[in-house]
Amino acid sequence: MLDQRAEGNFSSVTGFVLLGFSDLPNIQGFLFGIFFLIYTFIMIGNGLIVIITRIESALQTPMYFFLANFSSLEICYVSVTVPRILVNLWTQDRSISLLGCATQMCFFLILGATECFLLAVMAYDRYVAICNPLQYPLVMNQKTCVQLAVGSWISGIPVQIGQTFQVFSLPFCGSNQIKHFFCDIPPLINLACGDTSLNEICVYLVDILFAMIPCLLILCSYIRIISTILKLPSTTSQFKAFSTCSSHLIVVLLFFGPGTITYLRPKSHHSSGTDKMFSLFYIFVTPLFNPIIYSLRNKDVIAALKKLISKKT
């Protein structure tokens, strides 16, 4: 995988090896089974949410429109990384081409940025619904919802393409073994030769733009939401308002917590073990729990699911 053509003192890497879980040789089959089941549940669960929010008339509201977008995003998000993980575990062939690695990382970063923006948009939707209920139909009209959704999907594309190009412009020498189960920025920067401080600064700046700013917007929205809820006259009204926000807030914590820790730590503090552990959260845990959280805590979604099942049976 290393082309020995001299470029200064560096070798030109033509491919990588994703070590993944190679340090656990005795449980490769077990890991394949677990990850395959989780991937199947993610696809079915999020797919059901997309279907019922499209066909059930009671769910034709902005909140469920954004939820359908979020579930569609989760399907795309896991499909960028998990199938490759399953192939590596099944075949034990962990090689990946330079182009394949760059493509995987680029789509992973773009979809990650989309998730950050979409979670912020969903928080704004809840803010308008609770803090300005009379203006809600006017503010969150169909045109605005579509524009917010499209903006969330495409906003990160140019920046993340640029960041991917910058990472893969680094000189790689020596080992081409990535101590991770997919192509991500921290393990690739660890493989690079020379000074990577500029790349680390760019990672921090992009994180501030695509993670910290949406996170602050979500925080501000919930400060206003909680303040408004506490002013409601009855406990029943307060509970109902909290229940419409709690599911989204849980998903926000599951996604932003591990992701922020992974990308904002300096290079010297990165280790393959901790990187893989935190990555498992935003690759598997959030997409898996998203449909569970939104269905079990939402009477409208449960009613729509029962209606769909009764029609099929």
Side-chain angles (χ1 to χ4, degrees):
M1 289 293 184
L2 290 175
D3 186 350
Q4 297 301 325
R5 293 172 298 176
E7 293 185 9
N9 293 323
F10 303 117
S11 298
S12 177
V13 173
T14 58
F16 296 99
V17 176
L18 292 167
L19 294 181
F21 301 97
S22 59
D23 55 335
L24 303 170
N26 297 325
I27 59 169
Q28 298 291 295
F30 173 76
L31 289 174
F32 175 86
I34 292 296
F35 291 157
F36 179 78
L37 286 175
I38 292 175
Y39 182 59
T40 303
F41 288 143
I42 289 171
M43 299 297 283
I44 293 173
N46 286 285
L48 279 173
I49 287 181
V50 173
I51 291 170
I52 63 173
T53 52
R54 293 294 179 88
I55 66 175
E56 179 56 50
S57 58
L59 303 182
Q60 302 299 312
T61 64
M63 183 176 77
Y64 294 109
F65 170 76
F66 292 124
L67 178 57
N69 271 269
F70 189 72
S71 292
S72 301
L73 173 64
E74 296 287 45
I75 291 171
C76 297
Y77 194 62
V78 297
S79 296
V80 169
T81 55
V82 178
R84 182 80 201 191
I85 295 171
L86 294 175
V87 169
N88 292 353
L89 287 170
W90 183 258
T91 65
Q92 297 299 302
D93 179 11
R94 299 183 176 88
S95 61
I96 185 170
S97 67
L98 189 68
L99 179 60
C101 190
T103 302
Q104 184 186 61
M105 192 178 87
C106 186
F107 276 102
F108 177 77
L109 293 176
I110 289 172
L111 293 171
T114 301
E115 186 150 350
C116 292
F117 285 130
L118 200 53
L119 286 170
V121 167
M122 293 169 77
Y124 174 70
D125 171 70
R126 293 297 83 209
Y127 160 74
V128 178
I130 293 173
C131 299
N132 298 290
L134 297 178
Q135 299 296 318
Y136 184 67
L138 296 175
V139 175
M140 300 304 292
N141 56 63
Q142 185 178 10
K143 182 180 178 181
T144 300
C145 290
V146 171
Q147 288 175 340
L148 288 171
V150 171
S152 299
W153 280 92
I154 68 173
S155 294
I157 292 175
V159 175
Q160 300 296 10
I161 289 176
Q163 185 165 230
T164 302
F165 178 79
Q166 185 186 44
V167 170
F168 280 87
S169 296
L170 288 169
F172 295 98
C173 59
S175 175
N176 65 335
Q177 296 183 339
I178 300 175
K179 296 179 180 180
H180 212 342
F181 45 81
F182 69 98
C183 294
D184 199 7
I185 293 177
L188 280 164
I189 288 181
N190 282 335
L191 284 183
C193 304
D195 185 15
T196 59
S197 57
L198 178 61
N199 297 85
E200 292 184 61
I201 291 171
C202 288
V203 171
Y204 294 144
L205 292 176
V206 171
D207 249 23
I208 290 171
L209 178 63
F210 291 120
M212 298 303 291
I213 291 177
C215 199
L216 287 174
L217 291 174
I218 293 170
L219 179 63
C220 292
S221 296
Y222 273 103
I223 289 173
R224 294 291 302 275
I225 287 170
I226 293 170
S227 175
T228 302
I229 289 174
L230 293 176
K231 294 176 184 177
L232 294 175
S234 68
T235 306
T236 304
S237 300
Q238 291 178 347
F239 178 78
K240 186 177 180 180
F242 269 122
S243 66
T244 62
C245 300
S246 57
S247 300
H248 174 257
L249 195 55
I250 292 170
V251 173
V252 167
L253 294 174
L254 286 174
F255 178 76
F256 276 104
T260 302
I261 294 171
T262 298
Y263 289 99
L264 288 183
R265 285 180 302 156
K267 178 181 176 181
S268 58
H269 288 71
H270 279 279
S271 68
S272 60
T274 53
D275 283 349
K276 285 190 284 188
M277 181 184 68
F278 285 121
S279 297
L280 287 172
F281 267 90
Y282 51 81
I283 288 179
F284 286 109
V285 177
T286 305
L288 176 63
F289 280 90
N290 171 48
I292 297 173
I293 291 168
Y294 277 105
S295 60
L296 295 180
R297 299 174 61 86
N298 191 305
K299 293 180 180 179
D300 293 332
V301 174
I302 292 174
L305 277 171
K306 288 180 178 178
K307 187 177 179 181
L308 178 64
I309 293 170
S310 64
K311 284 182 179 180
K312 295 298 182 182
T313 56

